[in-house]
Amino acid sequence: MAAMTTDTTGGAARDDVSRPGGPADSPFVRACRRRSVPHTPVWFMRQAGRSLPEYREIRANVAMLESCRRPELVTEITLQPVRRHNVDAAILFSDIVVPVAAAGVDLDIVPGTGPVVAEPVRTAADVQRIRPIGRDDVPYVDEAVRMLVKELGDTPLIGFAGAPFTLASYLVEGGPSRTHAKTKALMYGDPELWHALAGRLAEMTLAFLRVQIEAGVSAVQLFDSWAGALSEADYRRFVLPHSTAVLAGLADAGVPRIHFGVGTAELLGAMGEAGADVVGVDWRTPLNVATGRIGPDKAVQGNLDPCLLLAPWPVIEAEVRRILDEGRAAPGHVFNLGHGVLPETDPEVLTRVVALVHELSTRPAEGA
Ligand code: CP3
């Protein structure tokens, strides 16, 4: 009953707020909140996916977007890495373009390529056609999160979404891009249209994350994977207000907010300012340097180079030790990769990394 009185949002996750050992008291959520932890929590971006034979098997005859719309399949795929690796958190199996498709944009996820948009966004009318979304537009996400929260018990589930810049890049380019040239051309050439697009994507992303939080996720991660393409000044002018609308818009939601991008060494401070509790750091910036840029009031997440997992074990072990040492400079550390697991990664190496992080970071119980 006590738990009910602390429930301010009606979300399923809030029921666990005051339950010791529940997901909101897990090492992962505690580290995000800069509280003491029994060990450094660890999970991997893209932990559910092609590195796992059981994933390749179950996905063999189902297209990527279709698989994101089947709650039983989403639940099974999300649980696969949790069963196998003993990670401290699950991440919902989905994709950043799922809400974009739900908002009416004609797109597909092409194997080996990524999201491809049929009619790239060029005009104000194109922006207008991106409809606002709510729970009823993504019932399969709501259902999958509810099933997962039950299945996962005390293991926290991370919800996620793409940030306005990264989503806009796919919409404007029509697909993946190395330079983001069309996106930048629109940003610099027609700032009004840019802000209309990014503003609309921010509303969509906020609504999408609220659906996941209401359904019971214990944390959310906002992926601005390609923000590192921008200078800090342009990031602050064109992107920060929109990412802030999303993250600061969730300040009352009661779950930690992680903000991640790749190649963002120059943006780490600004990305924290957007309203994150945790800033994700890629492998280019040591975590002690990163925390100096982000400040003492935020935790960090990262940052083993995913390519390093292809190296011999002694090399991996040394890097894990270095990252744990550097992470001690931060007021909270969630161990992760600097970007997603590569499909060619040996899953047994991932399991071994989890065990090593736990072993090296186990602290004596408080007061013992
Ligand atoms: O385990 C997890 O991390 C959850 C699953 C997840 C997927 N996509 C599944 C997926 C997450 C968190 C994402 C987010 C996502 N999608 C991002 C942000 C994270 C990042 O990597 O920076 C981005 C940029 C996308 C867009 C996207 N979708 C790309 C670049 C690709 C890869 C294309 C390819 O085939 O190499 C996808 C497809 C995708 N999303 C796959 C998975 C497992 C591969 C498709 C498949 O398995 O058939």
Side-chain angles (χ1 to χ4, degrees):
M1 288 310 285
M4 297 301 291
T5 58
T6 61
D7 185 332
T8 53
T9 66
R14 306 302 79 68
D15 292 343
D16 284 303
V17 163
S18 57
R19 185 162 66 77
D25 188 39
S26 60
F28 166 73
V29 170
R30 292 184 64 89
C32 291
R33 297 207 178 285
R34 294 172 281 126
R35 296 195 178 128
S36 63
V37 285
H39 60 260
T40 301
V42 47
W43 68 280
F44 304 112
M45 293 184 276
R46 292 281 172 94
Q47 62 191 19
R50 285 172 293 184
S51 66
L52 301 184
E54 58 270 35
Y55 170 83
R56 294 196 295 268
E57 193 185 325
I58 204 169
R59 276 285 325 283
N61 296 308
V62 195
M64 178 64 196
L65 266 182
E66 172 60 23
S67 68
C68 297
R69 294 176 181 142
R70 295 191 192 172
E72 277 89 9
L73 194 55
V74 169
T75 300
E76 170 55 26
I77 294 175
T78 302
L79 292 173
Q80 285 178 347
V82 179
R83 285 190 202 114
R84 203 188 240 270
H85 300 313
N86 193 29
V87 281
D88 291 275
I91 179 159
L92 179 71
F93 180 76
S94 185
D95 194 83
I96 57 168
V97 295
V98 164
V100 184
V105 176
D106 182 2
L107 61 83
D108 198 7
I109 299 177
V110 178
T113 300
V116 175
V117 176
E119 293 173 46
V121 171
R122 295 280 178 270
T123 66
D126 296 339
V127 172
Q128 291 294 324
R129 276 196 290 276
I130 305 170
R131 292 190 277 102
I133 61 163
R135 201 202 67 88
D136 294 345
D137 299 289
V138 285
Y140 38 83
V141 171
D142 173 76
E143 210 181 307
V145 170
R146 287 176 198 277
M147 288 170 68
L148 274 163
V149 167
K150 278 201 197 99
E151 291 284 331
L152 282 162
D154 293 340
T155 302
L157 175 65
I158 303 168
F160 74 90
F165 176 78
T166 292
L167 292 178
S169 171
Y170 285 108
L171 285 172
V172 175
E173 307 288 337
S177 163
R178 217 155 42 83
T179 58
H180 309 277
K182 294 192 181 84
T183 313
K184 289 186 182 183
L186 186 145
M187 191 180 266
Y188 298 129
D190 193 345
E192 203 182 323
L193 181 58
W194 166 260
H195 284 296
L197 172 61
R200 192 159 277 239
L201 293 172
E203 275 171 40
M204 184 195 77
T205 298
L206 182 57
F208 187 56
L209 289 172
R210 281 205 183 278
V211 170
Q212 297 175 55
I213 292 167
E214 286 292 313
V217 297
S218 292
V220 292
Q221 177 154 328
L222 187 66
F223 283 94
D224 210 351
S225 301
W226 314 138
L230 299 171
S231 68
E232 183 184 351
D234 289 343
Y235 177 85
R236 286 187 179 277
R237 181 167 163 218
F238 293 112
V239 177
L240 183 57
H242 304 292
S243 294
T244 302
V246 179
L247 290 170
L250 295 174
D252 63 348
V255 299
R257 299 152 294 173
I258 309 168
H259 196 186
F260 167 78
V262 183
T264 53
E266 302 303 321
L267 308 180
L268 290 170
M271 289 181 76
E273 285 170 38
D277 302 288
V278 185
V279 177
V281 181
D282 83 2
W283 61 92
R284 294 172 180 88
T285 313
L287 292 179
N288 53 333
V289 175
T291 205
R293 294 178 186 178
I294 295 160
D297 59 341
K298 293 176 201 310
V300 297
Q301 176 174 277
N303 66 346
L304 187 75
D305 185 339
C307 298
L308 236 134
L309 296 173
L310 310 176
W313 177 253
V315 181
I316 301 173
E317 181 172 348
E319 281 292 283
V320 169
R321 283 179 189 275
R322 176 182 67 80
I323 288 163
L324 284 171
D325 283 345
E326 290 167 353
R328 287 195 187 95
H333 177 206
V334 175
F335 193 100
N336 205 313
L337 305 182
H339 199 182
V341 174
L342 296 169
E344 60 266 44
T345 307
D346 176 354
E348 286 180 22
V349 171
L350 290 171
T351 309
R352 234 175 138 180
V353 168
V354 173
L356 180 64
V357 170
H358 287 166
E359 181 198 318
L360 293 175
S361 67
T362 294
R363 300 158 180 75
E366 249 179 299

